[in-house]
Amino acid sequence: MIDLQQIFAPLESLDLELTKSQQVVALGLYRELAKGAPVHREQIASVLNIPIGDVVAALDSTTLSCLTVHDDQNRIVGFGGLAVPQMAHKLIVGGQELYTWCAWDALFIPELLGATAQVESTCPETKSPVRLEVAPDGIKKVEPVGTVVSFLVPDELRIEQTAAETMKTFCHRVHFLASPEAGEAWTNRDPGTFVLSLEDAFALAQMLNACRFGSVLQRTTT
């Protein structure tokens, strides 16, 4: 039996809970990125109808700056697992093609967007396609049915100082695998990882969202 709280505890200890201002700005940024184009800070302030100073303070905080990716024009092109530039995991929301940093991102981001997403990925072990339909409240479809997720053991879980470092140490090790057997083969070659069922991975994703966004997320999705 997987103890999800034991897996999540190291992440929770990393101070993932955001201030109310950070929660509002982060959710606004996710939803602007979901439109499929780079985002300016002024754009977030305008959409949320809040002072630009509040946006700058939130995004420059230690908590959010390590989750943010900029392009060479200082526009935001990635945040907290969601990306505009092409990456390994495609996330289609409202007909807009987006991408996620890892498999797990594709499970928690639909709730943050308040929208159902089509997920397209590739099993790194079998090289076969993996497709899911992920709604804010659960996984509605999956192909192949036995798909699992590779994840890190609690001692390996940490958030790095930059998004690039987090991608390297965490995201590049978290994949959709086409079957439990494929998952076992893959994780056996990567010490520090193990296999999670899709259901457990989604439940863990909900725990992350609740920890980071709490009542602010509940208000924006009702």
Side-chain angles (χ1 to χ4, degrees), residues 15-215:
D15 193 25
L16 294 178
E17 187 174 355
L18 309 178
T19 66
K20 286 293 191 293
S21 178
Q22 290 169 345
Q23 290 173 340
V24 170
V25 170
L27 282 176
L29 176 51
Y30 272 118
R31 293 171 185 183
E32 286 304 294
L33 279 175
K35 297 176 182 178
V39 175
H40 294 275
R41 294 182 174 201
E42 292 80 5
Q43 178 181 339
I44 304 169
S46 176
V47 168
L48 296 177
N49 194 28
I50 60 176
I52 183 62
D54 290 356
V55 174
V56 171
L59 292 179
D60 284 350
S61 67
T62 302
T63 311
L64 297 189
S65 62
C66 67
L67 301 174
T68 309
V69 180
H70 297 85
D71 65 9
D72 56 8
Q73 300 179 52
N74 204 35
R75 301 175 301 179
I76 299 170
V77 294
F79 178 74
L82 185 63
V84 173
Q86 185 171 352
M87 301 187 78
H89 313 278
K90 183 182 292 187
L91 190 80
I92 305 173
V93 182
Q96 180 64 58
E97 290 188 1
L98 306 162
Y99 298 89
T100 65
W101 302 0
C102 74
W104 193 43
D105 300 329
L107 301 183
F108 70 74
I109 287 174
E111 183 180 19
L112 301 181
L113 300 181
T116 296
Q118 308 300 318
V119 180
E120 298 178 5
S121 187
T122 300
C123 170
E125 181 68 21
T126 65
K127 312 304 180 187
S128 58
V130 174
R131 297 183 177 90
L132 300 89
E133 181 178 299
V134 183
D137 63 347
I139 298 170
K140 303 305 180 181
K141 298 178 182 177
V142 57
E143 181 184 352
V145 173
T147 295
V148 296
V149 178
S150 62
F151 209 77
L152 277 64
V153 299
D155 288 347
E156 298 274 336
L157 291 172
R158 59 187 182 273
I159 299 297
E160 303 290 354
Q161 292 184 338
T162 69
E165 291 170 341
T166 296
M167 289 182 202
K168 181 178 179 180
T169 60
F170 179 84
C171 299
H172 292 174
R173 304 172 73 187
V174 180
H175 304 275
F176 291 113
L177 286 305
S179 68
E181 294 77 18
E184 183 176 2
W186 182 262
T187 55
N188 282 344
R189 293 196 300 275
D190 185 7
T193 64
F194 69 104
V195 173
L196 272 178
S197 70
L198 275 179
E199 292 74 17
D200 282 343
F202 184 82
L204 201 63
Q206 289 184 305
M207 293 167 67
L208 176 71
N209 286 344
C211 178
R212 276 185 172 166
F213 295 101
S215 60

